[in-house]
Amino acid sequence: MYQADNDTAIRIKEFMERIRTDYKLFIGFPGSTDFDYRELYPFFGYLLNNVGDPYQVPLHANHSKAMEQEVVEFFADLFRAPKKDRWGYVNNGGTEGNLYALYVARELYPKARVYYSQTAHYSLPKNVHILGMPSTVIKVRPNDEIDYDDLQHELDAHKSEPAIVVANIGTTMAEARDDVAKIKRILNDTGIGQHFVHSDAALAGTYTALLRPHHPFDFKDGADSVSISGHKFIGSPMACGVVIVRKSHMDTIRRSASYVGSPDTTISGSRNGHTPLLLWYAIQRWGLEGFRKRAEASLALAEYTHSELQRIGWQTWRNPSAITVMLASPPRKLIYKWQLATHDGTHFALSSSHSLS
């Protein structure tokens, strides 16, 4: 076993001390920190490579595809994907989930135009540029939700082109949720038969599916794909995500990769085999009812925070059923100390899912 030299050991110790200190002040970004995966630590002594399609066994045995399949099925059920028309995989996070959905949609409709709102995640314009797709940015309402009238107007202006609409299910700052059922009606009313709706549910998808009354965003509501982040509401020491698509759509991008013994149906080919294991373990720990209680606890904490800050006269905003509270920004010194994600230097978002156990 390698023994670090003195300089390396000092660097490691210093880094650990900094992380332990800064971790206690990590409140301004939406990532849960109350996870405990110590039971899985022995697996980090092994390479786990989930290369290729998650439903195909590769030529090597060092993978966690059995767990990955269970994770995909859990979220496919949660998002009400058709039993006979579902597929998905565990990826590196929300950006890859959005890229994959747009890639599938582009292969399905090569001449399509992408529509996303002004408050869409920063990965949307980047991914659209990578894929070389024409796009239109849609205005938003005061609460950061997409402006449906402007969407209707822009769709009418490009009726001759297939349409790919990206719905936000939890915008980065205000946690606004777009209504996929309404978007679907607008597409049908416009008469654009060739269309694809993707729900970017990286922030709020998991718990939105558990809340009542139901918010329209999943497959039964008209989505063709849904992506989430695993390290936000669920919690993970590594960034990760899950994307679910209709299998009939995914089949348009299936490619052969014979030397690994699996079709190449994902973005990255070789994929992290540890993150599916982590998400699988979290599902075993919490279960559907545990996630629901976790969502309710997050909502209660957000409501309490919002009320208390208003009571002391600090300016706050909160969308209905959101676990995110927006606050007027404090002095710059506090922003850096508590690692706060500010917008235009005027306000910042505070998520209530950091530590709930």
Side-chain angles (χ1 to χ4, degrees):
M1 180 175 128
Y2 169 70
Q3 195 72 33
D5 60 40
N6 189 54
D7 288 344
T8 303
I10 291 173
R11 288 284 301 279
I12 292 172
K13 182 181 179 181
E14 291 174 344
F15 181 50
M16 177 55 74
E17 289 174 352
R18 183 181 72 76
I19 290 297
R20 282 176 175 161
T21 299
D22 291 345
Y23 207 60
K24 296 174 184 177
L25 306 176
F26 176 63
I27 69 169
F29 289 81
S32 297
T33 60
D34 60 343
F35 52 81
D36 185 352
Y37 293 107
R38 278 175 288 187
E39 195 171 355
L40 302 181
Y41 286 179
F43 290 99
F44 287 86
Y46 299 91
L47 167 67
L48 296 179
N49 185 351
N50 284 19
V51 63
D53 191 288
Y55 289 90
Q56 296 291 325
V57 178
L59 294 177
H60 70 82
N62 300 326
H63 61 83
S64 63
K65 288 191 176 185
M67 279 79 170
E68 183 175 18
Q69 291 168 22
E70 291 185 41
V71 170
V72 169
E73 291 303 311
F74 176 85
F75 285 105
D77 285 342
L78 187 62
F79 301 144
R80 305 189 299 176
K83 287 286 186 184
K84 295 184 179 179
D85 192 18
R86 55 168 58 170
W87 184 92
Y89 75 99
V90 176
N91 53 46
N92 292 314
T95 294
E96 184 179 343
N98 288 337
L99 177 62
Y100 189 81
L102 290 174
Y103 174 41
V104 169
R106 188 195 67 177
E107 295 304 289
L108 195 64
Y109 304 121
K111 297 182 179 180
R113 174 174 293 272
V114 181
Y115 301 84
Y116 60 89
S117 79
Q118 292 172 330
T119 53
H121 189 256
Y122 64 82
S123 66
L124 265 300
K126 176 173 66 176
N127 287 342
V128 164
H129 176 71
I130 290 171
L131 293 168
M133 305 170 76
S135 63
T136 298
V137 179
I138 306 300
K139 298 174 185 175
V140 294
R141 293 176 167 183
N143 72 334
D144 272 4
E145 186 178 359
I146 197 170
D147 186 319
Y148 302 100
D149 292 334
D150 191 46
L151 176 63
Q152 174 85 63
H153 171 76
E154 292 296 341
L155 288 169
D156 281 333
H158 301 92
K159 276 187 176 181
S160 62
E161 301 172 323
I164 300 166
V165 182
V166 179
N168 295 317
I169 311 303
T171 56
T172 302
M173 296 300 295
E175 202 186 312
R177 298 172 175 86
D178 298 336
D179 187 325
V180 166
K182 187 178 290 188
I183 290 171
K184 189 77 173 179
R185 286 196 296 272
I186 292 171
L187 284 162
N188 290 333
D189 290 346
T190 307
I192 301 177
Q194 293 186 324
H195 61 254
F196 187 106
V197 180
H198 171 58
S199 286
D200 175 8
L203 178 60
T206 304
Y207 52 89
T208 295
L210 301 169
L211 299 177
R212 295 295 177 269
H214 172 74
H215 179 85
F217 83 100
D218 64 17
F219 286 86
K220 275 198 174 180
D221 298 314
D224 294 283
S225 57
V226 179
S227 62
I228 62 152
S229 288
H231 55 286
K232 291 178 181 171
F233 177 72
I234 297 171
S236 165
M238 288 179 277
C240 59
V242 183
V243 61
I244 310 294
V245 300
R246 296 181 186 275
K247 187 177 183 299
S248 54
H249 294 340
M250 181 280 296
D251 285 339
T252 62
I253 67 163
R254 184 180 291 271
R255 302 287 187 272
S256 174
S258 59
Y259 79 93
V260 299
S262 172
D264 181 24
T265 51
T266 68
I267 292 289
S268 52
S270 284
R271 295 180 293 108
N272 191 328
H274 291 91
T275 48
L277 180 61
L278 294 170
L279 294 179
W280 174 86
Y281 186 86
I283 291 169
Q284 308 314 304
R285 174 192 176 186
W286 294 101
L288 203 58
E289 190 56 33
F291 281 137
R292 183 174 286 109
K293 290 179 180 178
R294 184 171 171 78
E296 290 169 353
S298 296
L299 285 170
L301 181 56
E303 175 59 31
Y304 170 79
T305 304
H306 181 51
S307 298
E308 285 298 295
L309 286 167
Q310 286 193 323
R311 184 180 63 81
I312 66 173
W314 199 270
Q315 193 176 20
T316 65
W317 307 266
R318 178 171 173 255
N319 267 313
S321 299
I323 68 173
T324 302
V325 179
M326 293 183 67
L327 293 79
S329 291
R332 195 172 185 83
K333 183 178 179 180
L334 291 179
I335 290 174
Y336 281 97
K337 177 180 178 179
W338 295 97
Q339 305 170 52
L340 306 178
T342 62
H343 178 67
D344 294 335
T346 59
H347 54 271
F348 71 95
L350 188 64
S351 173
S352 64
S353 69
H354 275 272
S355 184
L356 294 165
S357 60

